[in-house]
Amino acid sequence: MADSRYWLMKSEPAEASIDDLAAAPAQTLPWTGVRNYQARNFMRDQMQPGDGVLFYHSSCPEPGVAGLACIAGSVQADTTQWDSKSPYHDPKSPPDAPRWLQIDVRLLCKTRLLSLAEMRTSPALAEMTVLRKGNRLSITPVQTAEWQAILALLGVDAKALDRNAATYGTPKSRIGKTRSGGSV
DNA sequence: GCCAACGTTGGC
DNA sequence: GCCAACGTTGGC
């Protein structure tokens, strides 16, 4: 199966909300604090600059998709793992072989909140990984059709968004290459 | 606050 | 390598 070009990334808004992303320099934040190997491996092995991101608010009164973003850089060592003051401090992570990774995420647009409850009512989203019972992964792949269905629910123009994503963070080597699922 | 689901740890 | 105990996630 081809790697996903779309992702859902969970963030607790009390820690990093869509508004925090909008207020950040270049509307970009390093995605730190991932401490799950499966989620880390998605970053390490599959994520590429320009990939679409559903910015999801979790562990809050209104969980759901709060905005759209894109991967805006390449993966690197998560700086919080060696920070003894960080809640994500991992003293067992060897400095010469970092256990945990981070990647830059840039805002594309804030949207209305597409609530988890509304997502569950959409037949097009019935198979979404994040909706599966017991799912706890903070990063999950999103199918192209699911991405498109969510943009439709949010009333976001996919073509305009794609141009925006291509403007930022897409290395020259990828420009002109066919992305999985083609142009949306 | 409850609890289901799942990942990690550590004894053996 | 098994697996019970424990910790965490995250919706409700």
Side-chain angles (χ1 to χ4, degrees):
Chain A
M1 191 174 82
D3 290 351
S4 177
R5 291 280 66 84
Y6 301 102
W7 306 94
L8 182 143
M9 299 175 80
K10 294 180 187 173
S11 182
E12 300 186 16
E15 192 165 354
S17 72
I18 193 76
D19 290 328
D20 294 329
L21 183 62
Q27 297 191 318
T28 303
L29 287 174
W31 205 271
T32 59
V34 170
R35 294 295 180 269
N36 170 282
Y37 289 104
Q38 198 177 345
R40 180 205 66 182
N41 292 348
F42 284 140
M43 290 198 286
R44 185 189 64 191
D45 302 332
Q46 296 191 36
M47 279 186 174
Q48 297 181 41
D51 285 1
V53 172
L54 302 171
F55 192 106
Y56 181 94
H57 283 175
S58 67
S59 295
C60 60
E62 284 191 295
V65 173
L68 305 173
C70 66
I71 301 301
S74 53
V75 73
Q76 48 195 304
D78 183 333
T79 55
T80 64
Q81 67 196 308
W82 299 303
D83 178 359
S84 61
K85 296 191 189 73
S86 168
Y88 300 113
H89 183 219
D90 182 359
K92 285 185 284 189
S93 180
D96 56 342
R99 185 177 291 181
W100 305 114
L101 303 172
Q102 68 182 42
I103 199 163
D104 278 353
V105 172
R106 181 196 313 264
L107 182 71
L108 290 176
C109 62
K110 184 179 175 179
T111 64
R112 76 174 174 90
L113 186 92
L114 175 61
S115 72
L116 178 60
E118 183 177 351
M119 292 170 74
R120 288 196 192 283
T121 67
S122 169
L125 305 181
E127 302 301 316
M128 269 194 89
T129 303
V130 75
L131 302 186
R132 286 213 287 259
K133 186 180 171 83
N135 165 74
R136 295 185 312 166
L137 261 187
S138 63
I139 298 176
T140 49
V142 172
Q143 301 302 311
T144 301
E146 294 165 346
W147 173 268
Q148 292 169 336
I150 285 173
L151 262 56
L153 285 169
L154 292 171
V156 172
D157 182 80
K159 285 197 168 65
L161 195 66
D162 210 35
R163 281 196 298 276
N164 197 8
T167 303
Y168 305 103
T170 304
K172 287 195 170 95
S173 62
R174 272 176 63 78
I175 292 175
K177 285 188 182 173
T178 303
R179 297 166 69 187
S180 168
S183 170
V184 290

